[in-house]
Amino acid sequence: MNYFEHIGKYFMMLTQVFRKPQRSRVFREALSREIEVLGLKSLGIIAFISFFIGGVIALQTALNLNNPLIPQSLIGFAAKRSIILEFAPTFCSIILAGKVGSYITSSIGTMRVTEQIDALEVMGINSLNYLVLPKIIATLFFYPFLISLGMILGIFGGWISGTMTGIFSGVDYIEGVQMDFDPYLIMYSLIKTLIFAFIIATVPSYHGYYVKGGSLEVGKASTQSVVWTIVLIVIANYFLTQMLLT
Amino acid sequence: MINVKNLHKKFGGVEILKGISTVFETGKTNLIIGQSGSGKTVFLKSLIGLHTPENGTIEFDGRVNTEMSIDQRRQLRQELGMVFQGSALFDSQTVEENVMFPLKMFTKLSDKEMLAQANVVLKRVDLVGSNKKYIAELSGGMQKRVAIARAIVMKPKYLFCDEPNSGLDPQTAIIIDNLIQEITNEYQITTVINTHDMNSVMEIGEKIIFLKDGKKAWEGSNKEIFKTDNEAVVNFVYSSNLFKKVREAYLNETN
């Protein structure tokens, strides 16, 4: 199957996904389950990585800005910009693509190869709507919170790294963080997050739903879905940056 | 009653079903038999709407599949019960949740009413006390019973079973066969079973259809299959010495 066929099939899939759920009660239950699995269970990894990467960004910025003419507050400013513009939305989304994407593909793929999806269809249930829509809504709803947390913890990690190592002063760092604050950058970051969240929910679902074969193929589809999700996030990141910041 | 007329199905240019016509009667256990690759599963999946045939019609008590609106098809699907070869139970749910699932999706019953209805069918398949178990905790035979319970909880008009005995020991296979036959008679449903199991053919085959290379090669009852001189059926059904002897004994007894 060539790329155009895959793209066509992906959009055909979306037309089935975006239908009114057959039972709102069942949909609500599925949604809360997905928020827990796809969102809440990712809190730990995002918090951990954001904190330490924030620290590394601040330290590397400080070590590269050793000219006495450059104010130390620039460290906080550069770290804040890097974290808000790129690290939190893009880097965290790539991590989520690996963690959540492989889970989505393998869970839906296993349902496909064990005929559970056929069972749903025979019952008269729109399986795509039942399985994929709650995942999309859960990621669109929860990932902005997750990425915002990543921003806060990243900036906080930078401050901790400075104060603990003494490489730069905490006061200068906070001054830099507060300097030239532009709320649009937060908006830009959250818009990117929403697009990435949609990619993270739908691309792995596509790979899982249309898998053929057995457990080995589910494993292969899982790997392939993570690769394609990351590729699409990186491409979308470039075009969104061009559209929203230039 | 399900009336199948001239059903054709192709995959990638290869014709799998080559004009099958037959009638599955209500209140009877109708069996589809045939060698691997003869088109049994494709035929069954075409009947339940998982495959779309290129030609031919399937009539469910007067309702022709090709003339139905989307709503009518949805309604028909709720009248179908299906037991898959691998059971196809939702492994992240308990036995009770699996059985209640169709009720949750298609009825407005309260939790208490749904649970009561689930308990009725679980009792019917002799699975009382397993409500809170997960699917992985059950044996193959128990999983088949849960699948049957889930298939009949909506009181279907049509029950389809794809190799319900595969992977089961002979004793459990007989229990499952008897259970399906009892349910068929009790609920007066049209049951269609896809099987390789010759015990099932002899025991519960009220109507048997033999498929060969995508065509119907023979049809009759489990009594008639003993007497048939259709070479393909004889070679397939009586391929083992045991069944050859069973046939000889039957024919000697009846002559």
mmCIF file of all heavy atoms in Angstrom, chain A residues 19 21-23 25-26 29 33 110-111 114-126 130, chain B residues 45 48 50 77-78 82 84-86 88-91 101-102 104-108 111 114 150:
data_model
loop_
_atom_site.group_PDB
_atom_site.id
_atom_site.type_symbol
_atom_site.label_atom_id
_atom_site.label_comp_id
_atom_site.label_asym_id
_atom_site.label_seq_id
_atom_site.Cartn_x
_atom_site.Cartn_y
_atom_site.Cartn_z
ATOM 1 N N ARG A 19 -18.315 10.545 15.014
ATOM 2 C CA ARG A 19 -19.764 10.337 14.990
ATOM 3 C C ARG A 19 -20.260 10.481 16.416
ATOM 4 O O ARG A 19 -19.487 10.368 17.368
ATOM 5 C CB ARG A 19 -20.101 8.931 14.488
ATOM 6 C CG ARG A 19 -19.654 8.627 13.066
ATOM 7 C CD ARG A 19 -20.652 9.168 12.069
ATOM 8 N NE ARG A 19 -20.128 9.138 10.718
ATOM 9 C CZ ARG A 19 -20.431 8.196 9.843
ATOM 10 N NH1 ARG A 19 -21.237 7.215 10.176
ATOM 11 N NH2 ARG A 19 -19.946 8.247 8.631
ATOM 12 N N PRO A 21 -21.465 9.417 19.813
ATOM 13 C CA PRO A 21 -21.365 8.138 20.519
ATOM 14 C C PRO A 21 -22.742 7.496 20.708
ATOM 15 O O PRO A 21 -23.732 8.188 20.946
ATOM 16 C CB PRO A 21 -20.753 8.513 21.871
ATOM 17 C CG PRO A 21 -20.072 9.804 21.631
ATOM 18 C CD PRO A 21 -20.879 10.516 20.593
ATOM 19 N N GLN A 22 -22.774 6.140 20.568
ATOM 20 C CA GLN A 22 -24.069 5.447 20.633
ATOM 21 C C GLN A 22 -24.702 5.521 22.010
ATOM 22 O O GLN A 22 -25.912 5.537 22.133
ATOM 23 C CB GLN A 22 -23.879 3.997 20.175
ATOM 24 C CG GLN A 22 -23.787 3.887 18.662
ATOM 25 C CD GLN A 22 -23.203 2.567 18.202
ATOM 26 O OE1 GLN A 22 -22.027 2.307 18.371
ATOM 27 N NE2 GLN A 22 -24.022 1.734 17.612
ATOM 28 N N ARG A 23 -23.900 5.509 23.041
ATOM 29 C CA ARG A 23 -24.396 5.622 24.422
ATOM 30 C C ARG A 23 -23.502 6.602 25.172
ATOM 31 O O ARG A 23 -22.320 6.342 25.367
ATOM 32 C CB ARG A 23 -24.313 4.261 25.133
ATOM 33 C CG ARG A 23 -25.556 3.433 24.998
ATOM 34 C CD ARG A 23 -26.594 3.794 26.073
ATOM 35 N NE ARG A 23 -27.806 3.015 25.911
ATOM 36 C CZ ARG A 23 -28.812 3.347 25.119
ATOM 37 N NH1 ARG A 23 -28.758 4.450 24.409
ATOM 38 N NH2 ARG A 23 -29.875 2.599 25.039
ATOM 39 N N ARG A 25 -23.406 7.406 28.224
ATOM 40 C CA ARG A 25 -22.914 6.890 29.507
ATOM 41 C C ARG A 25 -21.662 6.023 29.303
ATOM 42 O O ARG A 25 -20.666 6.149 30.019
ATOM 43 C CB ARG A 25 -24.030 6.071 30.160
ATOM 44 C CG ARG A 25 -23.652 5.502 31.484
ATOM 45 C CD ARG A 25 -24.680 4.513 31.959
ATOM 46 N NE ARG A 25 -24.071 3.612 32.896
ATOM 47 C CZ ARG A 25 -24.682 2.580 33.425
ATOM 48 N NH1 ARG A 25 -25.928 2.326 33.111
ATOM 49 N NH2 ARG A 25 -24.077 1.804 34.279
ATOM 50 N N VAL A 26 -21.716 5.172 28.280
ATOM 51 C CA VAL A 26 -20.573 4.303 27.978
ATOM 52 C C VAL A 26 -19.396 5.169 27.529
ATOM 53 O O VAL A 26 -18.248 4.921 27.891
ATOM 54 C CB VAL A 26 -20.960 3.271 26.889
ATOM 55 C CG1 VAL A 26 -19.766 2.437 26.469
ATOM 56 C CG2 VAL A 26 -22.076 2.374 27.383
ATOM 57 N N GLU A 29 -17.732 6.823 30.531
ATOM 58 C CA GLU A 29 -16.911 5.840 31.267
ATOM 59 C C GLU A 29 -15.588 5.596 30.540
ATOM 60 O O GLU A 29 -14.528 5.552 31.157
ATOM 61 C CB GLU A 29 -17.664 4.507 31.377
ATOM 62 C CG GLU A 29 -18.740 4.510 32.443
ATOM 63 C CD GLU A 29 -19.573 3.227 32.449
ATOM 64 O OE1 GLU A 29 -19.182 2.246 31.788
ATOM 65 O OE2 GLU A 29 -20.622 3.233 33.101
ATOM 66 N N ARG A 33 -11.691 6.567 31.706
ATOM 67 C CA ARG A 33 -10.666 5.511 31.724
ATOM 68 C C ARG A 33 -9.447 5.955 30.893
ATOM 69 O O ARG A 33 -8.307 5.788 31.312
ATOM 70 C CB ARG A 33 -11.278 4.245 31.133
ATOM 71 C CG ARG A 33 -10.563 2.967 31.490
ATOM 72 C CD ARG A 33 -11.342 1.731 31.104
ATOM 73 N NE ARG A 33 -11.896 1.742 29.768
ATOM 74 C CZ ARG A 33 -13.195 1.645 29.484
ATOM 75 N NH1 ARG A 33 -14.092 1.540 30.443
ATOM 76 N NH2 ARG A 33 -13.624 1.657 28.235
ATOM 77 N N THR A 110 -4.190 -5.670 19.468
ATOM 78 C CA THR A 110 -4.512 -6.947 20.104
ATOM 79 C C THR A 110 -6.007 -7.215 20.008
ATOM 80 O O THR A 110 -6.437 -8.344 19.751
ATOM 81 C CB THR A 110 -4.057 -6.937 21.584
ATOM 82 O OG1 THR A 110 -2.671 -6.633 21.613
ATOM 83 C CG2 THR A 110 -4.276 -8.279 22.250
ATOM 84 N N MET A 111 -6.795 -6.172 20.166
ATOM 85 C CA MET A 111 -8.249 -6.338 20.008
ATOM 86 C C MET A 111 -8.589 -6.782 18.587
ATOM 87 O O MET A 111 -9.493 -7.577 18.380
ATOM 88 C CB MET A 111 -8.987 -5.035 20.329
ATOM 89 C CG MET A 111 -9.039 -4.711 21.804
ATOM 90 S SD MET A 111 -10.072 -3.301 22.147
ATOM 91 C CE MET A 111 -11.698 -4.007 22.036
ATOM 92 N N THR A 114 -7.438 -10.541 18.045
ATOM 93 C CA THR A 114 -8.208 -11.511 18.850
ATOM 94 C C THR A 114 -9.716 -11.394 18.549
ATOM 95 O O THR A 114 -10.536 -11.897 19.314
ATOM 96 C CB THR A 114 -7.966 -11.318 20.361
ATOM 97 O OG1 THR A 114 -8.266 -9.965 20.704
ATOM 98 C CG2 THR A 114 -6.538 -11.647 20.754
ATOM 99 N N GLU A 115 -10.056 -10.730 17.463
ATOM 100 C CA GLU A 115 -11.439 -10.613 16.967
ATOM 101 C C GLU A 115 -12.370 -9.821 17.887
ATOM 102 O O GLU A 115 -13.577 -9.849 17.715
ATOM 103 C CB GLU A 115 -12.045 -12.006 16.708
ATOM 104 C CG GLU A 115 -11.349 -12.780 15.591
ATOM 105 C CD GLU A 115 -11.996 -14.134 15.318
ATOM 106 O OE1 GLU A 115 -12.228 -14.861 16.289
ATOM 107 O OE2 GLU A 115 -12.266 -14.453 14.154
ATOM 108 N N GLN A 116 -11.793 -9.094 18.869
ATOM 109 C CA GLN A 116 -12.660 -8.294 19.748
ATOM 110 C C GLN A 116 -13.312 -7.147 18.976
ATOM 111 O O GLN A 116 -14.445 -6.759 19.272
ATOM 112 C CB GLN A 116 -11.857 -7.748 20.930
ATOM 113 C CG GLN A 116 -11.396 -8.826 21.896
ATOM 114 C CD GLN A 116 -10.522 -8.283 23.010
ATOM 115 O OE1 GLN A 116 -10.859 -7.319 23.666
ATOM 116 N NE2 GLN A 116 -9.376 -8.895 23.214
ATOM 117 N N ILE A 117 -12.588 -6.619 17.968
ATOM 118 C CA ILE A 117 -13.164 -5.536 17.156
ATOM 119 C C ILE A 117 -14.290 -6.092 16.290
ATOM 120 O O ILE A 117 -15.344 -5.467 16.138
ATOM 121 C CB ILE A 117 -12.068 -4.826 16.324
ATOM 122 C CG1 ILE A 117 -11.163 -4.042 17.286
ATOM 123 C CG2 ILE A 117 -12.675 -3.916 15.261
ATOM 124 C CD1 ILE A 117 -10.011 -3.325 16.643
ATOM 125 N N ASP A 118 -14.085 -7.309 15.754
ATOM 126 C CA ASP A 118 -15.155 -7.965 14.988
ATOM 127 C C ASP A 118 -16.386 -8.171 15.873
ATOM 128 O O ASP A 118 -17.521 -7.982 15.420
ATOM 129 C CB ASP A 118 -14.684 -9.330 14.457
ATOM 130 C CG ASP A 118 -13.723 -9.198 13.291
ATOM 131 O OD1 ASP A 118 -13.630 -8.083 12.737
ATOM 132 O OD2 ASP A 118 -13.073 -10.185 12.936
ATOM 133 N N ALA A 119 -16.134 -8.549 17.127
ATOM 134 C CA ALA A 119 -17.254 -8.763 18.059
ATOM 135 C C ALA A 119 -18.051 -7.467 18.238
ATOM 136 O O ALA A 119 -19.287 -7.478 18.248
ATOM 137 C CB ALA A 119 -16.742 -9.266 19.403
ATOM 138 N N LEU A 120 -17.338 -6.334 18.358
ATOM 139 C CA LEU A 120 -18.023 -5.035 18.492
ATOM 140 C C LEU A 120 -18.852 -4.742 17.246
ATOM 141 O O LEU A 120 -20.006 -4.312 17.337
ATOM 142 C CB LEU A 120 -16.999 -3.909 18.692
ATOM 143 C CG LEU A 120 -16.263 -3.843 20.029
ATOM 144 C CD1 LEU A 120 -15.126 -2.837 19.957
ATOM 145 C CD2 LEU A 120 -17.209 -3.464 21.156
ATOM 146 N N GLU A 121 -18.259 -4.988 16.080
ATOM 147 C CA GLU A 121 -18.955 -4.708 14.817
ATOM 148 C C GLU A 121 -20.202 -5.576 14.665
ATOM 149 O O GLU A 121 -21.244 -5.093 14.227
ATOM 150 C CB GLU A 121 -18.011 -4.929 13.618
ATOM 151 C CG GLU A 121 -16.898 -3.889 13.503
ATOM 152 C CD GLU A 121 -17.401 -2.517 13.082
ATOM 153 O OE1 GLU A 121 -18.397 -2.453 12.351
ATOM 154 O OE2 GLU A 121 -16.792 -1.514 13.504
ATOM 155 N N VAL A 122 -20.072 -6.864 15.023
ATOM 156 C CA VAL A 122 -21.223 -7.766 14.903
ATOM 157 C C VAL A 122 -22.365 -7.305 15.813
ATOM 158 O O VAL A 122 -23.537 -7.423 15.461
ATOM 159 C CB VAL A 122 -20.818 -9.225 15.241
ATOM 160 C CG1 VAL A 122 -22.032 -10.126 15.339
ATOM 161 C CG2 VAL A 122 -19.869 -9.764 14.189
ATOM 162 N N MET A 123 -21.999 -6.740 16.963
ATOM 163 C CA MET A 123 -23.038 -6.241 17.874
ATOM 164 C C MET A 123 -23.724 -4.988 17.334
ATOM 165 O O MET A 123 -24.719 -4.537 17.884
ATOM 166 C CB MET A 123 -22.413 -5.895 19.230
ATOM 167 C CG MET A 123 -22.061 -7.073 20.081
ATOM 168 S SD MET A 123 -21.334 -6.454 21.622
ATOM 169 C CE MET A 123 -20.268 -7.790 22.054
ATOM 170 N N GLY A 124 -23.152 -4.403 16.286
ATOM 171 C CA GLY A 124 -23.741 -3.181 15.728
ATOM 172 C C GLY A 124 -23.136 -1.921 16.322
ATOM 173 O O GLY A 124 -23.740 -0.852 16.296
ATOM 174 N N ILE A 125 -21.924 -2.066 16.870
ATOM 175 C CA ILE A 125 -21.249 -0.913 17.482
ATOM 176 C C ILE A 125 -20.236 -0.350 16.482
ATOM 177 O O ILE A 125 -19.517 -1.120 15.835
ATOM 178 C CB ILE A 125 -20.537 -1.348 18.784
ATOM 179 C CG1 ILE A 125 -21.580 -1.784 19.811
ATOM 180 C CG2 ILE A 125 -19.648 -0.246 19.346
ATOM 181 C CD1 ILE A 125 -21.034 -2.583 20.963
ATOM 182 N N ASN A 126 -20.207 0.993 16.370
ATOM 183 C CA ASN A 126 -19.185 1.634 15.541
ATOM 184 C C ASN A 126 -17.874 1.541 16.327
ATOM 185 O O ASN A 126 -17.627 2.338 17.237
ATOM 186 C CB ASN A 126 -19.597 3.090 15.281
ATOM 187 C CG ASN A 126 -18.549 3.867 14.508
ATOM 188 O OD1 ASN A 126 -17.402 3.444 14.375
ATOM 189 N ND2 ASN A 126 -18.940 5.027 14.012
ATOM 190 N N TYR A 130 -16.177 4.007 19.142
ATOM 191 C CA TYR A 130 -16.127 3.493 20.513
ATOM 192 C C TYR A 130 -14.689 3.465 21.051
ATOM 193 O O TYR A 130 -14.449 3.805 22.209
ATOM 194 C CB TYR A 130 -16.742 2.088 20.547
ATOM 195 C CG TYR A 130 -16.613 1.386 21.868
ATOM 196 C CD1 TYR A 130 -17.408 1.736 22.955
ATOM 197 C CD2 TYR A 130 -15.676 0.358 22.041
ATOM 198 C CE1 TYR A 130 -17.276 1.094 24.174
ATOM 199 C CE2 TYR A 130 -15.542 -0.283 23.255
ATOM 200 C CZ TYR A 130 -16.346 0.081 24.321
ATOM 201 O OH TYR A 130 -16.205 -0.563 25.531
ATOM 202 N N LYS B 45 -18.756 -15.196 8.001
ATOM 203 C CA LYS B 45 -18.529 -13.755 8.181
ATOM 204 C C LYS B 45 -19.360 -12.932 7.196
ATOM 205 O O LYS B 45 -19.707 -11.794 7.492
ATOM 206 C CB LYS B 45 -17.034 -13.427 8.076
ATOM 207 C CG LYS B 45 -16.264 -13.910 9.308
ATOM 208 C CD LYS B 45 -14.860 -13.358 9.402
ATOM 209 C CE LYS B 45 -14.250 -13.729 10.757
ATOM 210 N NZ LYS B 45 -12.874 -13.265 10.908
ATOM 211 N N ILE B 48 -22.867 -12.681 8.774
ATOM 212 C CA ILE B 48 -23.021 -11.724 9.884
ATOM 213 C C ILE B 48 -22.638 -10.299 9.491
ATOM 214 O O ILE B 48 -22.678 -9.393 10.322
ATOM 215 C CB ILE B 48 -22.223 -12.163 11.132
ATOM 216 C CG1 ILE B 48 -20.730 -12.304 10.822
ATOM 217 C CG2 ILE B 48 -22.773 -13.452 11.705
ATOM 218 C CD1 ILE B 48 -19.879 -12.639 12.027
ATOM 219 N N LEU B 50 -19.667 -9.129 8.334
ATOM 220 C CA LEU B 50 -18.275 -8.675 8.458
ATOM 221 C C LEU B 50 -17.596 -8.636 7.088
ATOM 222 O O LEU B 50 -16.605 -7.953 6.907
ATOM 223 C CB LEU B 50 -17.485 -9.581 9.409
ATOM 224 C CG LEU B 50 -17.806 -9.425 10.898
ATOM 225 C CD1 LEU B 50 -16.993 -10.405 11.734
ATOM 226 C CD2 LEU B 50 -17.555 -8.011 11.399
ATOM 227 N N ARG B 77 -28.346 -6.171 13.446
ATOM 228 C CA ARG B 77 -27.131 -6.558 14.177
ATOM 229 C C ARG B 77 -27.434 -6.832 15.645
ATOM 230 O O ARG B 77 -26.803 -7.674 16.270
ATOM 231 C CB ARG B 77 -26.082 -5.454 14.066
ATOM 232 C CG ARG B 77 -25.529 -5.330 12.680
ATOM 233 C CD ARG B 77 -24.068 -5.672 12.684
ATOM 234 N NE ARG B 77 -23.575 -5.871 11.344
ATOM 235 C CZ ARG B 77 -22.416 -5.408 10.915
ATOM 236 N NH1 ARG B 77 -21.668 -4.699 11.699
ATOM 237 N NH2 ARG B 77 -22.017 -5.676 9.697
ATOM 238 N N GLN B 78 -28.403 -6.092 16.177
ATOM 239 C CA GLN B 78 -28.758 -6.317 17.586
ATOM 240 C C GLN B 78 -29.528 -7.625 17.763
ATOM 241 O O GLN B 78 -29.729 -8.075 18.884
ATOM 242 C CB GLN B 78 -29.563 -5.131 18.105
ATOM 243 C CG GLN B 78 -28.701 -3.894 18.280
ATOM 244 C CD GLN B 78 -29.502 -2.658 18.545
ATOM 245 O OE1 GLN B 78 -30.523 -2.698 19.206
ATOM 246 N NE2 GLN B 78 -29.043 -1.532 18.028
ATOM 247 N N MET B 82 -23.045 -13.766 18.328
ATOM 248 C CA MET B 82 -21.927 -14.439 17.656
ATOM 249 C C MET B 82 -20.953 -14.988 18.692
ATOM 250 O O MET B 82 -20.541 -14.274 19.609
ATOM 251 C CB MET B 82 -21.216 -13.422 16.740
ATOM 252 C CG MET B 82 -19.954 -13.940 16.104
ATOM 253 S SD MET B 82 -20.287 -15.033 14.705
ATOM 254 C CE MET B 82 -18.654 -15.690 14.388
ATOM 255 N N PHE B 84 -17.284 -16.323 18.708
ATOM 256 C CA PHE B 84 -16.102 -16.415 17.854
ATOM 257 C C PHE B 84 -15.231 -17.608 18.226
ATOM 258 O O PHE B 84 -15.292 -18.108 19.350
ATOM 259 C CB PHE B 84 -15.275 -15.127 17.966
ATOM 260 C CG PHE B 84 -15.873 -13.972 17.223
ATOM 261 C CD1 PHE B 84 -16.835 -13.173 17.827
ATOM 262 C CD2 PHE B 84 -15.495 -13.687 15.927
ATOM 263 C CE1 PHE B 84 -17.406 -12.118 17.147
ATOM 264 C CE2 PHE B 84 -16.060 -12.627 15.240
ATOM 265 C CZ PHE B 84 -17.013 -11.841 15.847
ATOM 266 N N GLN B 85 -14.402 -18.007 17.271
ATOM 267 C CA GLN B 85 -13.522 -19.160 17.478
ATOM 268 C C GLN B 85 -12.648 -18.983 18.726
ATOM 269 O O GLN B 85 -12.521 -19.879 19.531
ATOM 270 C CB GLN B 85 -12.632 -19.350 16.246
ATOM 271 C CG GLN B 85 -11.865 -20.638 16.274
ATOM 272 C CD GLN B 85 -11.083 -20.870 14.990
ATOM 273 O OE1 GLN B 85 -11.188 -20.106 14.023
ATOM 274 N NE2 GLN B 85 -10.300 -21.914 14.958
ATOM 275 N N GLY B 86 -12.077 -17.787 18.872
ATOM 276 C CA GLY B 86 -11.235 -17.529 20.046
ATOM 277 C C GLY B 86 -12.005 -16.836 21.154
ATOM 278 O O GLY B 86 -11.408 -16.176 21.994
ATOM 279 N N ALA B 88 -13.278 -14.100 21.602
ATOM 280 C CA ALA B 88 -13.310 -12.638 21.383
ATOM 281 C C ALA B 88 -13.939 -11.889 22.546
ATOM 282 O O ALA B 88 -14.673 -10.922 22.361
ATOM 283 C CB ALA B 88 -14.029 -12.301 20.068
ATOM 284 N N LEU B 89 -13.618 -12.338 23.746
ATOM 285 C CA LEU B 89 -14.142 -11.627 24.925
ATOM 286 C C LEU B 89 -13.240 -10.439 25.227
ATOM 287 O O LEU B 89 -12.066 -10.449 24.868
ATOM 288 C CB LEU B 89 -14.173 -12.582 26.123
ATOM 289 C CG LEU B 89 -15.131 -13.763 25.963
ATOM 290 C CD1 LEU B 89 -14.856 -14.828 27.004
ATOM 291 C CD2 LEU B 89 -16.580 -13.307 26.042
ATOM 292 N N PHE B 90 -13.799 -9.431 25.886
ATOM 293 C CA PHE B 90 -13.002 -8.237 26.210
ATOM 294 C C PHE B 90 -12.165 -8.567 27.441
ATOM 295 O O PHE B 90 -12.694 -8.640 28.558
ATOM 296 C CB PHE B 90 -13.907 -7.031 26.438
ATOM 297 C CG PHE B 90 -14.824 -6.782 25.276
ATOM 298 C CD1 PHE B 90 -16.188 -6.683 25.446
ATOM 299 C CD2 PHE B 90 -14.321 -6.677 23.989
ATOM 300 C CE1 PHE B 90 -17.035 -6.474 24.381
ATOM 301 C CE2 PHE B 90 -15.158 -6.480 22.903
ATOM 302 C CZ PHE B 90 -16.517 -6.377 23.097
ATOM 303 N N ASP B 91 -10.864 -8.771 27.219
ATOM 304 C CA ASP B 91 -10.048 -9.299 28.316
ATOM 305 C C ASP B 91 -9.749 -8.294 29.419
ATOM 306 O O ASP B 91 -9.256 -8.674 30.474
ATOM 307 C CB ASP B 91 -8.756 -9.938 27.784
ATOM 308 C CG ASP B 91 -8.108 -9.132 26.694
ATOM 309 O OD1 ASP B 91 -8.412 -7.921 26.625
ATOM 310 O OD2 ASP B 91 -7.319 -9.694 25.915
ATOM 311 N N PHE B 101 -22.167 -6.007 28.621
ATOM 312 C CA PHE B 101 -21.765 -5.015 27.632
ATOM 313 C C PHE B 101 -22.840 -4.701 26.572
ATOM 314 O O PHE B 101 -23.177 -3.526 26.363
ATOM 315 C CB PHE B 101 -20.448 -5.439 26.972
ATOM 316 C CG PHE B 101 -19.910 -4.429 26.017
ATOM 317 C CD1 PHE B 101 -19.227 -3.314 26.478
ATOM 318 C CD2 PHE B 101 -20.107 -4.554 24.654
ATOM 319 C CE1 PHE B 101 -18.749 -2.366 25.598
ATOM 320 C CE2 PHE B 101 -19.636 -3.612 23.766
ATOM 321 C CZ PHE B 101 -18.952 -2.520 24.239
ATOM 322 N N PRO B 102 -23.416 -5.735 25.917
ATOM 323 C CA PRO B 102 -24.467 -5.408 24.919
ATOM 324 C C PRO B 102 -25.676 -4.713 25.557
ATOM 325 O O PRO B 102 -26.281 -3.837 24.923
ATOM 326 C CB PRO B 102 -24.871 -6.775 24.357
ATOM 327 C CG PRO B 102 -23.772 -7.703 24.708
ATOM 328 C CD PRO B 102 -23.176 -7.190 25.980
ATOM 329 N N LYS B 104 -25.578 -2.666 28.101
ATOM 330 C CA LYS B 104 -25.162 -1.279 28.341
ATOM 331 C C LYS B 104 -25.256 -0.455 27.069
ATOM 332 O O LYS B 104 -25.624 0.715 27.088
ATOM 333 C CB LYS B 104 -23.699 -1.260 28.814
ATOM 334 C CG LYS B 104 -23.527 -1.118 30.291
ATOM 335 C CD LYS B 104 -22.052 -0.918 30.576
ATOM 336 C CE LYS B 104 -21.801 -0.799 32.049
ATOM 337 N NZ LYS B 104 -20.378 -0.672 32.345
ATOM 338 N N MET B 105 -24.872 -1.084 25.946
ATOM 339 C CA MET B 105 -24.829 -0.356 24.682
ATOM 340 C C MET B 105 -26.213 -0.153 24.067
ATOM 341 O O MET B 105 -26.448 0.834 23.393
ATOM 342 C CB MET B 105 -23.949 -1.093 23.663
ATOM 343 C CG MET B 105 -22.468 -1.046 23.940
ATOM 344 S SD MET B 105 -21.738 0.596 24.083
ATOM 345 C CE MET B 105 -21.878 1.244 22.434
ATOM 346 N N PHE B 106 -27.115 -1.105 24.278
ATOM 347 C CA PHE B 106 -28.360 -1.054 23.501
ATOM 348 C C PHE B 106 -29.646 -0.992 24.316
ATOM 349 O O PHE B 106 -30.724 -1.000 23.736
ATOM 350 C CB PHE B 106 -28.423 -2.259 22.552
ATOM 351 C CG PHE B 106 -27.298 -2.274 21.571
ATOM 352 C CD1 PHE B 106 -26.301 -3.233 21.650
ATOM 353 C CD2 PHE B 106 -27.210 -1.308 20.581
ATOM 354 C CE1 PHE B 106 -25.252 -3.238 20.760
ATOM 355 C CE2 PHE B 106 -26.167 -1.304 19.690
ATOM 356 C CZ PHE B 106 -25.181 -2.263 19.771
ATOM 357 N N THR B 107 -29.548 -0.995 25.629
ATOM 358 C CA THR B 107 -30.788 -0.914 26.409
ATOM 359 C C THR B 107 -30.681 0.250 27.394
ATOM 360 O O THR B 107 -29.595 0.780 27.614
ATOM 361 C CB THR B 107 -31.063 -2.208 27.212
ATOM 362 O OG1 THR B 107 -30.090 -2.311 28.259
ATOM 363 C CG2 THR B 107 -31.003 -3.444 26.336
ATOM 364 N N LYS B 108 -31.820 0.582 27.970
ATOM 365 C CA LYS B 108 -31.806 1.660 28.957
ATOM 366 C C LYS B 108 -32.064 1.090 30.359
ATOM 367 O O LYS B 108 -32.577 1.778 31.236
ATOM 368 C CB LYS B 108 -32.853 2.722 28.589
ATOM 369 C CG LYS B 108 -32.416 3.512 27.372
ATOM 370 C CD LYS B 108 -33.402 4.562 26.981
ATOM 371 C CE LYS B 108 -32.853 5.351 25.789
ATOM 372 N NZ LYS B 108 -33.836 6.235 25.215
ATOM 373 N N ASP B 111 -28.493 -0.438 36.267
ATOM 374 C CA ASP B 111 -27.401 -1.371 36.576
ATOM 375 C C ASP B 111 -27.933 -2.650 37.216
ATOM 376 O O ASP B 111 -27.471 -3.749 36.915
ATOM 377 C CB ASP B 111 -26.387 -0.710 37.512
ATOM 378 C CG ASP B 111 -25.534 0.303 36.764
ATOM 379 O OD1 ASP B 111 -25.611 0.323 35.521
ATOM 380 O OD2 ASP B 111 -24.803 1.066 37.425
ATOM 381 N N MET B 114 -29.650 -4.792 34.625
ATOM 382 C CA MET B 114 -28.665 -5.417 33.735
ATOM 383 C C MET B 114 -27.975 -6.581 34.430
ATOM 384 O O MET B 114 -27.785 -7.643 33.842
ATOM 385 C CB MET B 114 -27.622 -4.378 33.297
ATOM 386 C CG MET B 114 -28.104 -3.487 32.190
ATOM 387 S SD MET B 114 -26.780 -2.540 31.440
ATOM 388 C CE MET B 114 -26.578 -1.232 32.598
ATOM 389 N N ARG B 150 -22.761 -13.975 26.523
ATOM 390 C CA ARG B 150 -22.779 -12.625 25.940
ATOM 391 C C ARG B 150 -23.597 -12.607 24.652
ATOM 392 O O ARG B 150 -24.304 -11.638 24.369
ATOM 393 C CB ARG B 150 -21.351 -12.158 25.662
ATOM 394 C CG ARG B 150 -21.269 -10.712 25.195
ATOM 395 C CD ARG B 150 -19.861 -10.260 24.957
ATOM 396 N NE ARG B 150 -19.262 -10.917 23.802
ATOM 397 C CZ ARG B 150 -18.019 -10.705 23.375
ATOM 398 N NH1 ARG B 150 -17.240 -9.863 24.019
ATOM 399 N NH2 ARG B 150 -17.548 -11.332 22.321
#
